[in-house]
Amino acid sequence: MKRLLLVLLFPILLGAQSNEKIDWLTNYEKAIKKASKEDKYVLLYFTGSDWCPPCKSLKKDLFNSAEFAALADKYSLLYIDIPRNKDLISEAQMKHNKELLIKYNKKGVFPMLQIINAKGRLIDEYSGYSMNGETQYHLDMLNKHK
């Protein structure tokens, strides 16, 4: 019985360990600097963490997956949250995030993944999520530019 429990829990534990290593930045300049220094692209993730059901599902289905954890270090990761609950992020962070929203996500689509180079030029993007657990298109886009 203990062995069966271990077999069932191992993938969950492995996923949890992988996700602890994922370092999402929240400052654009730091993400660009890291990308430039490490010769990587920047992955921008626009989310409404407290109000957007597809964003919440994408976090669970993609960003908490072992597949994403294996790709995460190939990018400089930038988390851009536009929550409705103003207590979730600082006023300065909200201002910063809204400036990025205006610059990169003019239509205000959530969730939105964008890949930019270290000069801020858009390389690729994918918006939306159908909440069906299918993240292969997202992974294909990330694998294409790693």
Side-chain angles (χ1 to χ4, degrees):
M1 184 66 167
K2 287 181 184 179
R3 185 172 287 168
L4 177 62
L5 185 61
L6 183 59
V7 169
L8 293 173
L9 289 177
F10 184 73
I12 295 168
L13 295 172
L14 182 64
Q17 289 172 341
S18 298
N19 292 332
E20 289 174 8
K21 297 176 188 173
I22 297 175
D23 182 26
W24 285 93
L25 300 171
T26 56
N27 180 280
Y28 177 80
E29 289 77 21
K30 287 182 181 179
I32 290 291
K33 190 175 191 177
K34 179 179 180 182
S36 182
K37 181 180 177 184
E38 298 176 7
D39 194 28
K40 297 178 179 180
Y41 287 135
V42 180
L43 174 63
L44 285 73
Y45 173 48
F46 289 92
T47 183
S49 66
D50 65 339
W51 59 268
C52 172
C55 299
K56 292 175 183 181
S57 291
L58 190 61
K59 179 181 179 194
K60 179 178 64 86
D61 297 340
L62 176 66
F63 297 120
N64 290 344
S65 73
E67 293 89 351
F68 181 76
L71 289 169
D73 67 339
K74 307 293 185 213
Y75 290 91
S76 176
L77 304 173
L78 183 60
Y79 184 81
I80 305 163
D81 191 13
I82 309 291
R84 289 190 178 148
N85 180 348
K86 301 204 187 304
D87 294 337
L88 292 178
I89 61 176
S90 71
E91 193 174 313
Q93 185 68 53
M94 180 64 94
K95 181 178 186 264
H96 176 74
N97 292 357
K98 284 187 175 181
E99 288 169 359
L100 293 172
L101 185 71
I102 291 166
K103 182 175 182 178
Y104 287 104
N105 189 355
K106 290 175 178 49
K107 293 182 181 177
V109 177
F110 295 91
M112 169 72 82
L113 275 69
Q114 293 183 328
I115 298 172
I116 63 172
N117 66 15
K119 295 182 188 226
R121 188 177 65 95
L122 182 65
I123 303 299
D124 206 348
E125 69 180 8
Y126 186 69
S127 63
Y129 181 56
S130 62
M131 301 189 315
N132 63 0
E134 179 52 52
T135 60
Q136 194 58 52
Y137 186 86
H138 300 82
L139 292 168
D140 289 347
M141 181 184 78
L142 294 171
N143 275 310
K144 182 168 66 170
H145 300 291
K146 64 181 181 177

